[in-house]
Amino acid sequence: MAAIQPGWIETAARHLIRRSWSDPIWSSKSGQAFCYERGVLYGLPIYVQRRVPLAPRDPVEARRMFILHALVQDDWSGTAGDRPFGFVAHNRKLIESIRKLEERIRRPDLLVDEEFLYAWFEARLPAVISDPRQLRAWLDHGGDEADLRLTRETLLRKQAEGVQSEAFPAEIEIRGVKYALEYRFEPGERDDGVTMIVPLALLNQVDAERCEWLIPGLLAEKVQALAKRLPQRQRRHLVPLPAYAAAFVQRRGGHRIEGGLIEAMRGDIRECHGIDTLASDFRPDTLPPHLFFNFRVVDEHGRRLGHGRHLEALRAEHGEAARTAFRDAFAAVADQLRPRADGTATALVGDGGTEGSAGGGSGARGPGGRGGRAAGVHATDGAGARPGNGERDGSDAAIVDGRLEVPVNTRFRRWPIDALPELLEIRAPGAASSMVGFPAFVDCGDAIRIDVFDEAPVAREQHLAGVRRLLVIALREPLKAIARHVPDAQKLVISYARIDTDDALWRDFGQAVLLRAVGDAGDPVTREAFERLLEQVRPRLSLIAAELGRTLQQVLDEYGAALRKVQSVSAGAREPHVLAALDDIREQLGELVYPGFLVRTPPEAFGHLTRYLKAVVLRLERVRADPARVEQQRRDHALLQAEYNKLRRARRGVPDPELDRFRWLLEELRVSLYAQNLRTPMPVSFKRLRRMLDSLRPG
């Protein structure tokens, strides 16, 4: 028997086939509804699951699905053939803007629901339309596309009236640079809240205190959350907390003042309620994550390098790379630097003196690209430089036609310019913001060079060292003869031999004398100020050298006594607490006296070294007197020392005067613990130092 093809039956007996339809489905590609058709001849299935358009079979359901899926849920291409519908792009943009606003203000209830949108489109769309082709035909023959354009008022619920998107900006400006912001409302997710996009080159320039203030739309919530974490005896003066938070924001006009948010709240509470608080009382570490910026560090191509809510941790991880990226970006455009009247400078690059800056990395209008030169401040190619090592004895940097001209890679042995600008600013053609650098003299060992840094404290520290180098060069003859002014110089050399060579002694001794002669006037930025400083320093060298020599000899004598005492106690020591104390003392001695300590120890701390060393001897004399107490004190001190070391590492070499002060208070604490008869110049205890340490932690 020959086989029968179902298609033959369908062709020959089409009028006898009974058809049924089921399972309506939506097609995003074609923008219309389909269903599955089944054909039966006298109970025999001819075909099944044939996909056919739904509109000819069930126009009401087809229209419903078109409105729901295409117009409400936007699950289609928005075109009829090759012709796009203008109202679709308009509606998409408007709905997306409201969804972004929901993310920003953390309210997922602004946009009207699908039922409202369905009713809105159904009332405006003719009953015969159920697919893009019919919609296009209607619009081409008298239909008005404006009838299908949604408005902001239509899409927003009534309770959202008065919401100000300006309180949730798309970008934030810090120190003249604009950083893009992204918003997400997903509690529990790592990027919940506000994300600031930070180009790597600008990582070290982000103001951590400014970031405490977050954005205007979340400031009141953050203030209320911080106030809520105060101890009850202080918090009760601020109730109701929402009213206090709103008043705090209003008193500041919705904007920050100088300093961090917590410090501003402390001042506000003191001023308005007469209550003193500590920074640690606010417990910022317990706040919800969305009340802190999430920082996303990106390279010049927008690729993510790191992210997190702790700016200091990101700087610890990427700080060196950020400095390199900054200097490369700055060098790529800082060919000519024009000082401003206010002491800052603007870079001029390109032909015709066009103001310029490095290209913006993803997320910021400002520098983000990497340049090709390694030096920081360049204006010429070194024309006229001495052949060979590129070193110059004269003042080869100059202001010419309003431009700061500095030969590339040039080292100077005299003050190189009339006045060093406080800031250097570079702006690219058409850019909305600029990159700011901090120029400084950098010590090269036997000369200085001019460089630019991304952090003011680092620049100042480098500049101090650079100025000292210029002083050493200018005063090299008086400093060579300095040993003649030191009493018992030969004894000093012998005592110092256990630490370093006699050459190192006199080199460091000369710098230490100079450091004390300069005092607080050691960071001049003009030639006139430097020459004035030189004249002030020169006549003081001999007297300071004599006094420093006597103090150094006392330090070395006490250091020798401490070493002998350590050796004596070590002989035959077996007790665990004694061995632990000896290890601690050896580490302490290594931090007090070491090669270079003459220069690195602050002058105000140097005079106390003899007392610290005497305290070491007294501690060793009493190490066996009360073993349990002595060991507990050592452990408590070690905890403070470890936390100090952690904070110091987090600073990544950036100077911190308060942290420096804490380091020497740790030595005073040892004196108060083990040698009370030597006394301390200020009250010191574990409790006081713990509170100070808490205040030094980043908010």
Side-chain angles (χ1 to χ4, degrees), residues 392-413:
R392 302 188 179 195
D393 288 324
S395 300
D396 296 293
I399 302 293
V400 179
D401 294 332
R403 294 174 175 82
L404 172 61
E405 296 193 347
V406 182
V408 175
N409 293 328
T410 300
R411 306 199 312 167
F412 305 98
R413 294 180 58 82

Side-chain angles (χ1 to χ4, degrees), residues 102-150:
E102 288 182 330
E103 297 279 345
R104 291 180 185 181
I105 68 175
R106 305 183 67 78
R107 281 186 55 185
D109 61 345
L110 295 186
L111 189 64
V112 295
D113 57 25
E114 290 187 354
E115 291 183 5
F116 177 90
L117 286 176
Y118 181 89
W120 191 88
F121 280 112
E122 185 183 39
R124 286 159 177 78
L125 204 65
V128 297
I129 295 177
S130 59
D131 60 42
R133 180 183 55 80
Q134 294 171 346
L135 178 59
R136 172 56 64 194
W138 173 63
L139 292 175
D140 288 345
H141 295 85
D144 190 354
E145 191 168 338
D147 291 341
L148 301 179
R149 287 177 176 262
L150 292 162

Side-chain angles (χ1 to χ4, degrees), residues 200-222:
L200 178 64
L202 299 176
L203 177 59
N204 291 327
Q205 293 203 327
V206 176
D207 185 347
E209 289 186 340
R210 165 61 188 89
C211 291
E212 288 183 27
W213 294 76
L214 208 55
I215 56 173
L218 292 177
L219 180 56
E221 181 183 351
K222 185 168 185 177

Side-chain angles (χ1 to χ4, degrees), residues 281-301:
D281 291 338
F282 293 87
R283 297 181 293 142
D285 53 310
T286 65
L287 291 180
H290 75 273
L291 294 180
F292 299 93
F293 273 124
N294 181 45
F295 301 97
R296 185 192 305 156
V297 182
V298 297
D299 64 12
E300 64 268 30
H301 303 297

Side-chain angles (χ1 to χ4, degrees), residues 128-380:
V128 297
I129 295 177
S130 59
D131 60 42
R133 180 183 55 80
Q134 294 171 346
L135 178 59
R136 172 56 64 194
W138 173 63
L139 292 175
D140 288 345
H141 295 85
D144 190 354
E145 191 168 338
D147 291 341
L148 301 179
R149 287 177 176 262
L150 292 162
T151 65
R152 183 180 177 86
E153 292 72 21
T154 300
L155 290 172
L156 283 174
R157 297 178 188 267
K158 290 183 178 180
Q159 58 265 38
E161 293 176 358
V163 172
Q164 298 295 321
S165 60
E166 294 79 8
F168 300 85
E171 58 187 17
I172 184 174
E173 183 171 337
I174 300 177
R175 294 177 178 172
V177 178
K178 291 178 177 157
Y179 300 86
L181 300 180
E182 292 181 358
Y183 297 83
R184 188 182 182 196
F185 179 45
E186 286 292 342
E189 295 295 324
R190 68 183 183 182
D191 58 348
D192 178 44
V194 191
T195 297
M196 181 192 298
I197 314 301
V198 183
L200 178 64
L202 299 176
L203 177 59
N204 291 327
Q205 293 203 327
V206 176
D207 185 347
E209 289 186 340
R210 165 61 188 89
C211 291
E212 288 183 27
W213 294 76
L214 208 55
I215 56 173
L218 292 177
L219 180 56
E221 181 183 351
K222 185 168 185 177
V223 170
Q224 181 179 337
L226 287 168
K228 186 177 181 180
R229 280 153 178 79
L230 287 171
Q232 197 276 336
R233 67 180 184 280
Q234 298 166 332
R235 186 177 65 246
R236 63 187 179 88
H237 296 280
L238 308 181
V239 294
L241 296 182
Y244 169 75
F248 174 88
V249 173
Q250 186 177 14
R251 281 192 286 272
R252 278 147 187 79
H255 302 290
R256 70 180 287 251
I257 57 173
E258 289 302 317
L261 174 60
I262 289 179
E263 287 305 310
M265 289 184 64
R266 291 180 63 197
D268 186 80
I269 294 171
R270 186 185 309 113
E271 180 180 342
C272 297
H273 301 278
I275 301 169
D276 287 325
T277 57
L278 298 174
S280 56
D281 291 338
F282 293 87
R283 297 181 293 142
D285 53 310
T286 65
L287 291 180
H290 75 273
L291 294 180
F292 299 93
F293 273 124
N294 181 45
F295 301 97
R296 185 192 305 156
V297 182
V298 297
D299 64 12
E300 64 268 30
H301 303 297
R303 292 188 295 257
R304 187 177 71 183
L305 302 176
H307 66 91
R309 301 187 190 271
H310 299 286
L311 188 59
E312 290 302 322
L314 286 171
R315 285 174 172 170
E317 182 178 357
H318 302 284
E320 287 304 321
R323 291 190 186 99
T324 301
F326 171 84
R327 294 176 67 187
D328 286 349
F330 205 100
V333 292
D335 290 323
Q336 295 179 338
L337 304 169
R338 171 179 292 173
R340 289 178 175 171
D342 60 2
T344 65
T346 298
L348 303 180
V349 300
D351 296 335
T354 303
E355 290 193 1
S357 127
S362 174
R365 283 189 266 167
R370 297 176 64 87
R373 303 190 195 176
V377 180
H378 310 305
T380 74

